[in-house]
Amino acid sequence: MHISRKKGPLYLQIRDHLRDRILHGVYPIHVNIPSEAQLENEFGVSKITVRKAIEELVQEGYLEKKSGKGTKVIRNTLASTLSKGKLFTEFLVEEGHRIQKQLLKVQQLSNKVDSKIFGLFGEQCLYIERLYYLDQIPYIHFTHYLTGEIVGDERTDLNDWSLYQLIREQGISLNKFQDQFVVSSASPHIEDYLHVNKGTPLLKRIRYSYDDNGHLIEYSEGFYKTDEHPYIVHYDV
């Protein structure tokens, strides 16, 4: 697992990696995470660093430490004082599913002048392509375009980090999101990744994310194979 002092305190990077694994069901609820010794070996850090990362997650309410019994996951959803809403992946994890991410491509793009992406971001942007697996079955294909202010090419840790961790890491705070949903077929290479027949109707999600000043930071397109699992929106009133 790649972490670097250039990205800030090591224990915070490890905390974020472990939190992401909890939220995606890699470490299921009511199950112990790997031992401190195993995490020291995986991340190549000291016992103190691992303990500080775990203490952060204990304070956030994700983990519970008991002497002689290890460290157990006690919550696998995000906490928010502003909204009762949940991420779609949180529902999947709560149902007992496991979500895995595969980085397909990351590069700095030079956008064509007459393209939609040029109109959104100008001459350059960061391109990230990822595939999500639901219980080891291809389920969602995401294409992300991020403002050229964000540096992320040649990053291997994007397999484990969420898109929004990458954005936060570079000091950008997101304030507004807009989602659009349509039914559409995907391009041939996305159909191949999702293992669907040519022309298969898929749920397409389009997202725009803006910073505190109203500047566009992210434009994403996601194709969901909803015959594997429906897309769920839950409201608490």
Side-chain angles (χ1 to χ4, degrees), residues 12 22 28 42 57 64 69 71 74 79 81-82 85 101-102 108 128 141 144-145 165 179 182 186 188 191 195 219:
L12 292 180
I22 292 169
E42 177 185 355
L57 294 172
E64 178 184 68
K69 293 186 178 181
T71 304
I74 58 173
T81 58
L82 300 177
K101 294 175 285 188
Q102 178 187 359
Q108 295 288 342
I128 299 173
H141 179 280
H144 306 289
Y145 301 88
Q165 281 178 288
D179 284 329
V182 297
E191 291 175 334
H195 300 172
Y219 170 77

Side-chain angles (χ1 to χ4, degrees), residues 113-145:
V113 175
D114 58 350
S115 68
K116 176 178 181 177
I117 303 304
F118 182 92
L120 294 174
F121 296 110
E123 294 182 354
Q124 298 232 335
C125 70
L126 177 65
Y127 174 91
I128 299 173
E129 185 179 0
R130 294 201 296 192
L131 185 65
Y132 282 63
Y133 292 83
L134 177 68
D135 301 325
Q136 300 183 326
I137 297 173
Y139 180 49
I140 311 169
H141 179 280
F142 265 119
T143 305
H144 306 289
Y145 301 88

Side-chain angles (χ1 to χ4, degrees), residues 19 21-25 27-30 61-62 73-79 86 89-97:
R19 186 199 297 116
R21 292 175 184 179
I22 292 169
L23 294 175
H24 287 85
Y27 301 150
I29 194 164
H30 305 313
Y62 291 101
V73 177
I74 58 173
R75 179 166 64 84
N76 58 4
T77 59
L78 289 169
K86 293 182 180 179
T89 52
E90 292 185 54
F91 286 107
L92 298 176
V93 172
E94 284 184 343
E95 290 180 352
H97 298 290

Side-chain angles (χ1 to χ4, degrees), residues 11-117:
Y11 78 95
L12 292 180
Q13 295 176 56
I14 295 170
R15 176 204 63 187
D16 291 343
H17 281 302
L18 297 181
R19 186 199 297 116
D20 196 58
R21 292 175 184 179
I22 292 169
L23 294 175
H24 287 85
V26 178
Y27 301 150
I29 194 164
H30 305 313
V31 173
N32 283 3
I33 67 170
S35 67
E36 291 182 0
Q38 289 173 304
L39 294 173
E40 290 166 38
N41 183 60
E42 177 185 355
F43 291 103
V45 296
S46 68
K47 185 183 296 292
I48 293 175
T49 301
V50 168
R51 284 184 176 174
K52 287 180 70 175
I54 290 174
E55 286 169 5
E56 289 276 322
L57 294 172
V58 169
Q59 292 175 9
E60 292 179 7
Y62 291 101
L63 299 176
E64 178 184 68
K65 290 184 69 174
K66 286 191 176 180
S67 180
K69 293 186 178 181
T71 304
K72 182 172 66 177
V73 177
I74 58 173
R75 179 166 64 84
N76 58 4
T77 59
L78 289 169
S80 173
T81 58
L82 300 177
S83 171
K84 292 183 179 180
K86 293 182 180 179
L87 297 175
F88 175 52
T89 52
E90 292 185 54
F91 286 107
L92 298 176
V93 172
E94 284 184 343
E95 290 180 352
H97 298 290
R98 178 174 176 179
I99 306 296
Q100 294 169 287
K101 294 175 285 188
Q102 178 187 359
L103 178 65
L104 302 176
K105 194 172 186 180
V106 54
Q107 68 178 98
Q108 295 288 342
L109 282 187
S110 296
N111 303 317
K112 295 181 179 179
V113 175
D114 58 350
S115 68
K116 176 178 181 177
I117 303 304

